[in-house]
Amino acid sequence: MDRDGVKSVDRDGDRVARGGRGTFSSLRIRNYRLFFTGAIVSNTGTWMARITQDWLVLSLTGSAAAVGITTALQFLPMLLFGLYGGVIADRYSKRLILLFSQAALGLCGLALAVLTLSGHVQVWHVYLVAFLLGMVTVVDNPTRQSFVSEMVGPDQLRNAVSLNSANFQSARLIGPAVAGVLIATVGSGWSFLLNGLFFLGPLTGLLLMRPSEFHKVERVPRGKGQLREGLRYVAGRPDLMWPIVLVGFVGTFGFNFPIWLTAFADDVYHVGAGTYGFLNTLMAAGSLAGALLAARRGSSRLRMVVVAAVAFGLLEIAAALSPSFWLFALLLVPIGMVGLTINVTANSAVQMATDPVMRGRVMSLYLMVFVGGTPIGAPLLGWITDTYGARVGFATGGLVSLTAAGVIGLVLAKVGGLRMAFAWHHGHPQVRFVARESRERLATAA
């Protein structure tokens, strides 16, 4: 890929489309199929536990800020140590790392189940388990992200990234609904227990994989300066840096849905856990649709990330100002769709643009800014929500996302070494960000 342009992102996307057409093309690969199947099970449990955790904290404290603190503690380790997780992912066997990390995540779920079912759970227990989950995901997240390329290879990478998101959002359709029923009928502890047991799914899939069928990736030997090397690599690549900066702002301020949905359910519309789960399910439906649409697209463009972020901010503001419950609920569907489009498009563009030997470190930086900013955004927006109300809190997140998209769009066009290029493709006008010094070559190729 050219260091300072996005033409090769489109070229990689074309290669993905040629390598295997169809929304589910990467599932023809046995190792990825095992990975995908195990993830369906564990993701369902994860969403059950996430919804249950937020509702439990709200029940124990009555505070949206406390929900924000829980979310912040879960993502604080990614902010503090996320880059080190990428170094580990580049250095060791990703399959072995995932066997240990998935087992540890399951044990965290079982520990919270024991505390809740025994009747001894306190809010500090939830805080502690959330922090421990965050410590495990420091290594687990960049490893899972970069492991996809070893299972499917470059031709199917974009499709597999999109299907991973579809997998996660499919589980989000089921998990919150099941959690709402369990909380209302038998209590929160059983939801945590099922979450812990569900991690047997990915562990089984990892054990059944055939290592001989992995795409070989060079391991990075132990050495000094590897973390700084990853940062310098991204800093010299505007096609990597600006999508990462944008998803950092959107992830930090625009993705605080546990805070806002609990507050809207409890304070604005005065509904119970079942309706809270229903709101999450609506958002998941939109996210799933966005993931499946992304799986069909053949390329990842920076323009799409910026446009989606603008739409995301506008939709959040509209939902915050919604005068009725059903309008608010319906707006969650396109919010989920556009939010997922931002993540998948930026994720796949960054992965396809990155040299394989650097992918773990680059993806750890991506995840660090996308979810690692939550310890900053969640308590702040939780405080705003508690102080000024759920509508102001939600609108604030949308306004920050909208502003970041506008500013970074201008930076891409005028400051970041890129410009807006207008060209005709198959008789239709196209607008894209390209490197200034590549103007002649890219204009003719378009």
PDB file of all heavy atoms in Angstrom, residues 177-211:
ATOM      1  N   ALA A 177     -32.020  -9.587  25.356  1.00  0.00           N
ATOM      2  CA  ALA A 177     -33.381 -10.090  25.583  1.00  0.00           C
ATOM      3  C   ALA A 177     -33.375 -11.201  26.625  1.00  0.00           C
ATOM      4  O   ALA A 177     -34.217 -11.232  27.537  1.00  0.00           O
ATOM      5  CB  ALA A 177     -33.971 -10.588  24.271  1.00  0.00           C
ATOM      6  N   VAL A 178     -32.424 -12.136  26.497  1.00  0.00           N
ATOM      7  CA  VAL A 178     -32.316 -13.229  27.466  1.00  0.00           C
ATOM      8  C   VAL A 178     -31.980 -12.680  28.847  1.00  0.00           C
ATOM      9  O   VAL A 178     -32.538 -13.107  29.869  1.00  0.00           O
ATOM     10  CB  VAL A 178     -31.267 -14.258  27.009  1.00  0.00           C
ATOM     11  CG1 VAL A 178     -31.058 -15.327  28.077  1.00  0.00           C
ATOM     12  CG2 VAL A 178     -31.691 -14.893  25.690  1.00  0.00           C
ATOM     13  N   ALA A 179     -31.057 -11.710  28.885  1.00  0.00           N
ATOM     14  CA  ALA A 179     -30.677 -11.123  30.170  1.00  0.00           C
ATOM     15  C   ALA A 179     -31.863 -10.456  30.844  1.00  0.00           C
ATOM     16  O   ALA A 179     -32.062 -10.590  32.064  1.00  0.00           O
ATOM     17  CB  ALA A 179     -29.546 -10.119  29.971  1.00  0.00           C
ATOM     18  N   GLY A 180     -32.668  -9.723  30.063  1.00  0.00           N
ATOM     19  CA  GLY A 180     -33.837  -9.073  30.646  1.00  0.00           C
ATOM     20  C   GLY A 180     -34.794 -10.068  31.272  1.00  0.00           C
ATOM     21  O   GLY A 180     -35.320  -9.838  32.364  1.00  0.00           O
ATOM     22  N   VAL A 181     -35.007 -11.207  30.590  1.00  0.00           N
ATOM     23  CA  VAL A 181     -35.891 -12.243  31.130  1.00  0.00           C
ATOM     24  C   VAL A 181     -35.302 -12.853  32.398  1.00  0.00           C
ATOM     25  O   VAL A 181     -36.009 -13.043  33.405  1.00  0.00           O
ATOM     26  CB  VAL A 181     -36.143 -13.331  30.069  1.00  0.00           C
ATOM     27  CG1 VAL A 181     -36.908 -14.507  30.682  1.00  0.00           C
ATOM     28  CG2 VAL A 181     -36.914 -12.756  28.887  1.00  0.00           C
ATOM     29  N   LEU A 182     -34.001 -13.161  32.377  1.00  0.00           N
ATOM     30  CA  LEU A 182     -33.362 -13.773  33.543  1.00  0.00           C
ATOM     31  C   LEU A 182     -33.375 -12.845  34.741  1.00  0.00           C
ATOM     32  O   LEU A 182     -33.642 -13.277  35.879  1.00  0.00           O
ATOM     33  CB  LEU A 182     -31.927 -14.173  33.193  1.00  0.00           C
ATOM     34  CG  LEU A 182     -31.755 -15.353  32.234  1.00  0.00           C
ATOM     35  CD1 LEU A 182     -30.288 -15.536  31.871  1.00  0.00           C
ATOM     36  CD2 LEU A 182     -32.312 -16.636  32.854  1.00  0.00           C
ATOM     37  N   ILE A 183     -33.077 -11.559  34.529  1.00  0.00           N
ATOM     38  CA  ILE A 183     -33.074 -10.602  35.639  1.00  0.00           C
ATOM     39  C   ILE A 183     -34.457 -10.512  36.268  1.00  0.00           C
ATOM     40  O   ILE A 183     -34.602 -10.490  37.490  1.00  0.00           O
ATOM     41  CB  ILE A 183     -32.615  -9.209  35.148  1.00  0.00           C
ATOM     42  CG1 ILE A 183     -31.153  -9.246  34.712  1.00  0.00           C
ATOM     43  CG2 ILE A 183     -32.786  -8.161  36.245  1.00  0.00           C
ATOM     44  CD1 ILE A 183     -30.702  -7.988  33.986  1.00  0.00           C
ATOM     45  N   ALA A 184     -35.478 -10.486  35.411  1.00  0.00           N
ATOM     46  CA  ALA A 184     -36.846 -10.322  35.909  1.00  0.00           C
ATOM     47  C   ALA A 184     -37.397 -11.573  36.578  1.00  0.00           C
ATOM     48  O   ALA A 184     -38.283 -11.487  37.429  1.00  0.00           O
ATOM     49  CB  ALA A 184     -37.760  -9.901  34.757  1.00  0.00           C
ATOM     50  N   THR A 185     -36.870 -12.758  36.219  1.00  0.00           N
ATOM     51  CA  THR A 185     -37.457 -14.006  36.717  1.00  0.00           C
ATOM     52  C   THR A 185     -36.618 -14.686  37.800  1.00  0.00           C
ATOM     53  O   THR A 185     -37.134 -15.000  38.872  1.00  0.00           O
ATOM     54  CB  THR A 185     -37.678 -14.990  35.551  1.00  0.00           C
ATOM     55  OG1 THR A 185     -36.439 -15.191  34.856  1.00  0.00           O
ATOM     56  CG2 THR A 185     -38.725 -14.436  34.580  1.00  0.00           C
ATOM     57  N   VAL A 186     -35.326 -14.927  37.514  1.00  0.00           N
ATOM     58  CA  VAL A 186     -34.516 -15.699  38.463  1.00  0.00           C
ATOM     59  C   VAL A 186     -33.354 -14.916  39.053  1.00  0.00           C
ATOM     60  O   VAL A 186     -32.667 -15.398  39.948  1.00  0.00           O
ATOM     61  CB  VAL A 186     -33.969 -16.988  37.807  1.00  0.00           C
ATOM     62  CG1 VAL A 186     -35.111 -17.913  37.443  1.00  0.00           C
ATOM     63  CG2 VAL A 186     -33.126 -16.669  36.578  1.00  0.00           C
ATOM     64  N   GLY A 187     -33.110 -13.708  38.556  1.00  0.00           N
ATOM     65  CA  GLY A 187     -32.070 -12.876  39.143  1.00  0.00           C
ATOM     66  C   GLY A 187     -30.827 -12.753  38.282  1.00  0.00           C
ATOM     67  O   GLY A 187     -30.592 -13.530  37.343  1.00  0.00           O
ATOM     68  N   SER A 188     -29.987 -11.795  38.620  1.00  0.00           N
ATOM     69  CA  SER A 188     -28.810 -11.456  37.818  1.00  0.00           C
ATOM     70  C   SER A 188     -27.746 -12.542  37.824  1.00  0.00           C
ATOM     71  O   SER A 188     -27.007 -12.707  36.851  1.00  0.00           O
ATOM     72  CB  SER A 188     -28.195 -10.146  38.334  1.00  0.00           C
ATOM     73  OG  SER A 188     -29.109  -9.079  38.276  1.00  0.00           O
ATOM     74  N   GLY A 189     -27.633 -13.275  38.918  1.00  0.00           N
ATOM     75  CA  GLY A 189     -26.549 -14.248  39.057  1.00  0.00           C
ATOM     76  C   GLY A 189     -26.549 -15.306  37.968  1.00  0.00           C
ATOM     77  O   GLY A 189     -25.478 -15.738  37.506  1.00  0.00           O
ATOM     78  N   TRP A 190     -27.723 -15.752  37.538  1.00  0.00           N
ATOM     79  CA  TRP A 190     -27.795 -16.800  36.511  1.00  0.00           C
ATOM     80  C   TRP A 190     -27.322 -16.286  35.157  1.00  0.00           C
ATOM     81  O   TRP A 190     -26.760 -17.043  34.363  1.00  0.00           O
ATOM     82  CB  TRP A 190     -29.220 -17.331  36.424  1.00  0.00           C
ATOM     83  CG  TRP A 190     -29.613 -18.076  37.664  1.00  0.00           C
ATOM     84  CD1 TRP A 190     -30.360 -17.608  38.701  1.00  0.00           C
ATOM     85  CD2 TRP A 190     -29.217 -19.404  38.021  1.00  0.00           C
ATOM     86  NE1 TRP A 190     -30.467 -18.551  39.683  1.00  0.00           N
ATOM     87  CE2 TRP A 190     -29.778 -19.676  39.291  1.00  0.00           C
ATOM     88  CE3 TRP A 190     -28.455 -20.394  37.387  1.00  0.00           C
ATOM     89  CZ2 TRP A 190     -29.598 -20.881  39.938  1.00  0.00           C
ATOM     90  CZ3 TRP A 190     -28.279 -21.606  38.034  1.00  0.00           C
ATOM     91  CH2 TRP A 190     -28.841 -21.847  39.286  1.00  0.00           C
ATOM     92  N   SER A 191     -27.521 -15.020  34.901  1.00  0.00           N
ATOM     93  CA  SER A 191     -27.003 -14.436  33.663  1.00  0.00           C
ATOM     94  C   SER A 191     -25.482 -14.439  33.661  1.00  0.00           C
ATOM     95  O   SER A 191     -24.839 -14.782  32.661  1.00  0.00           O
ATOM     96  CB  SER A 191     -27.537 -13.007  33.493  1.00  0.00           C
ATOM     97  OG  SER A 191     -27.106 -12.443  32.283  1.00  0.00           O
ATOM     98  N   PHE A 192     -24.881 -14.079  34.803  1.00  0.00           N
ATOM     99  CA  PHE A 192     -23.416 -14.111  34.916  1.00  0.00           C
ATOM    100  C   PHE A 192     -22.886 -15.540  34.795  1.00  0.00           C
ATOM    101  O   PHE A 192     -21.836 -15.785  34.195  1.00  0.00           O
ATOM    102  CB  PHE A 192     -22.978 -13.499  36.242  1.00  0.00           C
ATOM    103  CG  PHE A 192     -23.220 -12.025  36.356  1.00  0.00           C
ATOM    104  CD1 PHE A 192     -23.838 -11.490  37.477  1.00  0.00           C
ATOM    105  CD2 PHE A 192     -22.843 -11.152  35.343  1.00  0.00           C
ATOM    106  CE1 PHE A 192     -24.060 -10.134  37.597  1.00  0.00           C
ATOM    107  CE2 PHE A 192     -23.070  -9.787  35.446  1.00  0.00           C
ATOM    108  CZ  PHE A 192     -23.675  -9.269  36.578  1.00  0.00           C
ATOM    109  N   LEU A 193     -23.614 -16.500  35.382  1.00  0.00           N
ATOM    110  CA  LEU A 193     -23.176 -17.890  35.329  1.00  0.00           C
ATOM    111  C   LEU A 193     -23.150 -18.409  33.896  1.00  0.00           C
ATOM    112  O   LEU A 193     -22.171 -19.045  33.467  1.00  0.00           O
ATOM    113  CB  LEU A 193     -24.106 -18.755  36.183  1.00  0.00           C
ATOM    114  CG  LEU A 193     -23.806 -20.262  36.187  1.00  0.00           C
ATOM    115  CD1 LEU A 193     -22.419 -20.545  36.761  1.00  0.00           C
ATOM    116  CD2 LEU A 193     -24.870 -21.029  36.968  1.00  0.00           C
ATOM    117  N   LEU A 194     -24.210 -18.141  33.139  1.00  0.00           N
ATOM    118  CA  LEU A 194     -24.235 -18.587  31.745  1.00  0.00           C
ATOM    119  C   LEU A 194     -23.121 -17.935  30.932  1.00  0.00           C
ATOM    120  O   LEU A 194     -22.511 -18.573  30.072  1.00  0.00           O
ATOM    121  CB  LEU A 194     -25.597 -18.274  31.131  1.00  0.00           C
ATOM    122  CG  LEU A 194     -26.766 -19.150  31.601  1.00  0.00           C
ATOM    123  CD1 LEU A 194     -28.064 -18.669  30.960  1.00  0.00           C
ATOM    124  CD2 LEU A 194     -26.523 -20.616  31.250  1.00  0.00           C
ATOM    125  N   ASN A 195     -22.845 -16.676  31.216  1.00  0.00           N
ATOM    126  CA  ASN A 195     -21.758 -16.004  30.513  1.00  0.00           C
ATOM    127  C   ASN A 195     -20.436 -16.738  30.723  1.00  0.00           C
ATOM    128  O   ASN A 195     -19.689 -16.985  29.773  1.00  0.00           O
ATOM    129  CB  ASN A 195     -21.634 -14.559  30.994  1.00  0.00           C
ATOM    130  CG  ASN A 195     -20.385 -13.884  30.477  1.00  0.00           C
ATOM    131  OD1 ASN A 195     -20.097 -13.889  29.295  1.00  0.00           O
ATOM    132  ND2 ASN A 195     -19.602 -13.323  31.390  1.00  0.00           N
ATOM    133  N   GLY A 196     -20.138 -17.091  31.954  1.00  0.00           N
ATOM    134  CA  GLY A 196     -18.894 -17.806  32.230  1.00  0.00           C
ATOM    135  C   GLY A 196     -18.819 -19.144  31.511  1.00  0.00           C
ATOM    136  O   GLY A 196     -17.779 -19.505  30.937  1.00  0.00           O
ATOM    137  N   LEU A 197     -19.916 -19.886  31.511  1.00  0.00           N
ATOM    138  CA  LEU A 197     -19.926 -21.206  30.873  1.00  0.00           C
ATOM    139  C   LEU A 197     -19.864 -21.105  29.351  1.00  0.00           C
ATOM    140  O   LEU A 197     -19.314 -21.998  28.690  1.00  0.00           O
ATOM    141  CB  LEU A 197     -21.189 -21.965  31.284  1.00  0.00           C
ATOM    142  CG  LEU A 197     -21.284 -22.342  32.770  1.00  0.00           C
ATOM    143  CD1 LEU A 197     -22.633 -23.005  33.056  1.00  0.00           C
ATOM    144  CD2 LEU A 197     -20.141 -23.251  33.186  1.00  0.00           C
ATOM    145  N   PHE A 198     -20.388 -20.028  28.800  1.00  0.00           N
ATOM    146  CA  PHE A 198     -20.415 -19.882  27.344  1.00  0.00           C
ATOM    147  C   PHE A 198     -19.029 -19.741  26.736  1.00  0.00           C
ATOM    148  O   PHE A 198     -18.861 -19.912  25.519  1.00  0.00           O
ATOM    149  CB  PHE A 198     -21.284 -18.686  26.947  1.00  0.00           C
ATOM    150  CG  PHE A 198     -22.768 -18.967  26.971  1.00  0.00           C
ATOM    151  CD1 PHE A 198     -23.252 -20.218  27.333  1.00  0.00           C
ATOM    152  CD2 PHE A 198     -23.686 -17.985  26.637  1.00  0.00           C
ATOM    153  CE1 PHE A 198     -24.611 -20.479  27.357  1.00  0.00           C
ATOM    154  CE2 PHE A 198     -25.044 -18.231  26.647  1.00  0.00           C
ATOM    155  CZ  PHE A 198     -25.511 -19.496  27.020  1.00  0.00           C
ATOM    156  N   PHE A 199     -18.020 -19.425  27.530  1.00  0.00           N
ATOM    157  CA  PHE A 199     -16.661 -19.321  26.977  1.00  0.00           C
ATOM    158  C   PHE A 199     -16.083 -20.683  26.620  1.00  0.00           C
ATOM    159  O   PHE A 199     -15.005 -20.749  26.005  1.00  0.00           O
ATOM    160  CB  PHE A 199     -15.746 -18.573  27.949  1.00  0.00           C
ATOM    161  CG  PHE A 199     -15.875 -17.080  27.839  1.00  0.00           C
ATOM    162  CD1 PHE A 199     -16.734 -16.383  28.670  1.00  0.00           C
ATOM    163  CD2 PHE A 199     -15.175 -16.380  26.869  1.00  0.00           C
ATOM    164  CE1 PHE A 199     -16.884 -15.006  28.554  1.00  0.00           C
ATOM    165  CE2 PHE A 199     -15.313 -15.011  26.737  1.00  0.00           C
ATOM    166  CZ  PHE A 199     -16.162 -14.318  27.584  1.00  0.00           C
ATOM    167  N   LEU A 200     -16.771 -21.753  26.972  1.00  0.00           N
ATOM    168  CA  LEU A 200     -16.345 -23.070  26.496  1.00  0.00           C
ATOM    169  C   LEU A 200     -16.468 -23.162  24.976  1.00  0.00           C
ATOM    170  O   LEU A 200     -15.754 -23.950  24.348  1.00  0.00           O
ATOM    171  CB  LEU A 200     -17.204 -24.159  27.150  1.00  0.00           C
ATOM    172  CG  LEU A 200     -16.989 -24.366  28.654  1.00  0.00           C
ATOM    173  CD1 LEU A 200     -18.029 -25.337  29.204  1.00  0.00           C
ATOM    174  CD2 LEU A 200     -15.574 -24.865  28.930  1.00  0.00           C
ATOM    175  N   GLY A 201     -17.352 -22.359  24.377  1.00  0.00           N
ATOM    176  CA  GLY A 201     -17.533 -22.364  22.923  1.00  0.00           C
ATOM    177  C   GLY A 201     -16.272 -21.972  22.170  1.00  0.00           C
ATOM    178  O   GLY A 201     -15.759 -22.746  21.347  1.00  0.00           O
ATOM    179  N   PRO A 202     -15.707 -20.769  22.403  1.00  0.00           N
ATOM    180  CA  PRO A 202     -14.488 -20.402  21.680  1.00  0.00           C
ATOM    181  C   PRO A 202     -13.291 -21.260  22.047  1.00  0.00           C
ATOM    182  O   PRO A 202     -12.428 -21.508  21.193  1.00  0.00           O
ATOM    183  CB  PRO A 202     -14.272 -18.934  22.069  1.00  0.00           C
ATOM    184  CG  PRO A 202     -15.053 -18.732  23.314  1.00  0.00           C
ATOM    185  CD  PRO A 202     -16.225 -19.646  23.205  1.00  0.00           C
ATOM    186  N   LEU A 203     -13.217 -21.734  23.286  1.00  0.00           N
ATOM    187  CA  LEU A 203     -12.103 -22.607  23.666  1.00  0.00           C
ATOM    188  C   LEU A 203     -12.144 -23.899  22.864  1.00  0.00           C
ATOM    189  O   LEU A 203     -11.101 -24.379  22.376  1.00  0.00           O
ATOM    190  CB  LEU A 203     -12.165 -22.912  25.163  1.00  0.00           C
ATOM    191  CG  LEU A 203     -11.829 -21.735  26.095  1.00  0.00           C
ATOM    192  CD1 LEU A 203     -12.121 -22.112  27.555  1.00  0.00           C
ATOM    193  CD2 LEU A 203     -10.374 -21.313  25.931  1.00  0.00           C
ATOM    194  N   THR A 204     -13.325 -24.452  22.682  1.00  0.00           N
ATOM    195  CA  THR A 204     -13.460 -25.671  21.877  1.00  0.00           C
ATOM    196  C   THR A 204     -13.077 -25.406  20.423  1.00  0.00           C
ATOM    197  O   THR A 204     -12.352 -26.194  19.798  1.00  0.00           O
ATOM    198  CB  THR A 204     -14.904 -26.199  21.944  1.00  0.00           C
ATOM    199  OG1 THR A 204     -15.250 -26.449  23.307  1.00  0.00           O
ATOM    200  CG2 THR A 204     -15.048 -27.478  21.132  1.00  0.00           C
ATOM    201  N   GLY A 205     -13.537 -24.286  19.868  1.00  0.00           N
ATOM    202  CA  GLY A 205     -13.201 -23.947  18.494  1.00  0.00           C
ATOM    203  C   GLY A 205     -11.709 -23.781  18.284  1.00  0.00           C
ATOM    204  O   GLY A 205     -11.147 -24.266  17.285  1.00  0.00           O
ATOM    205  N   LEU A 206     -11.027 -23.132  19.214  1.00  0.00           N
ATOM    206  CA  LEU A 206      -9.578 -22.935  19.101  1.00  0.00           C
ATOM    207  C   LEU A 206      -8.834 -24.269  19.148  1.00  0.00           C
ATOM    208  O   LEU A 206      -7.860 -24.483  18.414  1.00  0.00           O
ATOM    209  CB  LEU A 206      -9.094 -22.015  20.223  1.00  0.00           C
ATOM    210  CG  LEU A 206      -9.478 -20.528  20.095  1.00  0.00           C
ATOM    211  CD1 LEU A 206      -9.269 -19.815  21.414  1.00  0.00           C
ATOM    212  CD2 LEU A 206      -8.669 -19.855  18.993  1.00  0.00           C
ATOM    213  N   LEU A 207      -9.278 -25.167  20.006  1.00  0.00           N
ATOM    214  CA  LEU A 207      -8.616 -26.465  20.131  1.00  0.00           C
ATOM    215  C   LEU A 207      -8.816 -27.331  18.893  1.00  0.00           C
ATOM    216  O   LEU A 207      -7.963 -28.185  18.573  1.00  0.00           O
ATOM    217  CB  LEU A 207      -9.133 -27.197  21.370  1.00  0.00           C
ATOM    218  CG  LEU A 207      -8.719 -26.591  22.720  1.00  0.00           C
ATOM    219  CD1 LEU A 207      -9.469 -27.264  23.864  1.00  0.00           C
ATOM    220  CD2 LEU A 207      -7.209 -26.711  22.930  1.00  0.00           C
ATOM    221  N   LEU A 208      -9.910 -27.151  18.164  1.00  0.00           N
ATOM    222  CA  LEU A 208     -10.198 -27.967  16.986  1.00  0.00           C
ATOM    223  C   LEU A 208      -9.565 -27.417  15.703  1.00  0.00           C
ATOM    224  O   LEU A 208      -9.630 -28.064  14.657  1.00  0.00           O
ATOM    225  CB  LEU A 208     -11.716 -28.070  16.780  1.00  0.00           C
ATOM    226  CG  LEU A 208     -12.487 -28.888  17.821  1.00  0.00           C
ATOM    227  CD1 LEU A 208     -13.990 -28.811  17.560  1.00  0.00           C
ATOM    228  CD2 LEU A 208     -12.025 -30.345  17.825  1.00  0.00           C
ATOM    229  N   MET A 209      -8.952 -26.251  15.776  1.00  0.00           N
ATOM    230  CA  MET A 209      -8.357 -25.658  14.580  1.00  0.00           C
ATOM    231  C   MET A 209      -7.138 -26.453  14.097  1.00  0.00           C
ATOM    232  O   MET A 209      -6.479 -27.153  14.883  1.00  0.00           O
ATOM    233  CB  MET A 209      -7.939 -24.208  14.848  1.00  0.00           C
ATOM    234  CG  MET A 209      -9.090 -23.254  14.947  1.00  0.00           C
ATOM    235  SD  MET A 209      -8.521 -21.555  15.217  1.00  0.00           S
ATOM    236  CE  MET A 209     -10.091 -20.715  15.373  1.00  0.00           C
ATOM    237  N   ARG A 210      -6.834 -26.323  12.806  1.00  0.00           N
ATOM    238  CA  ARG A 210      -5.666 -26.963  12.200  1.00  0.00           C
ATOM    239  C   ARG A 210      -4.582 -25.907  11.973  1.00  0.00           C
ATOM    240  O   ARG A 210      -4.675 -25.115  11.026  1.00  0.00           O
ATOM    241  CB  ARG A 210      -6.051 -27.608  10.871  1.00  0.00           C
ATOM    242  CG  ARG A 210      -7.087 -28.709  11.000  1.00  0.00           C
ATOM    243  CD  ARG A 210      -7.595 -29.115   9.631  1.00  0.00           C
ATOM    244  NE  ARG A 210      -8.619 -30.149   9.713  1.00  0.00           N
ATOM    245  CZ  ARG A 210      -9.461 -30.447   8.713  1.00  0.00           C
ATOM    246  NH1 ARG A 210      -9.387 -29.774   7.564  1.00  0.00           N
ATOM    247  NH2 ARG A 210     -10.361 -31.402   8.860  1.00  0.00           N
ATOM    248  N   PRO A 211      -3.551 -25.880  12.810  1.00  0.00           N
ATOM    249  CA  PRO A 211      -2.504 -24.861  12.654  1.00  0.00           C
ATOM    250  C   PRO A 211      -1.819 -24.896  11.291  1.00  0.00           C
ATOM    251  O   PRO A 211      -1.340 -23.866  10.811  1.00  0.00           O
ATOM    252  CB  PRO A 211      -1.519 -25.207  13.782  1.00  0.00           C
ATOM    253  CG  PRO A 211      -2.348 -25.919  14.801  1.00  0.00           C
ATOM    254  CD  PRO A 211      -3.365 -26.688  14.026  1.00  0.00           C
TER     255      PRO A 211
END
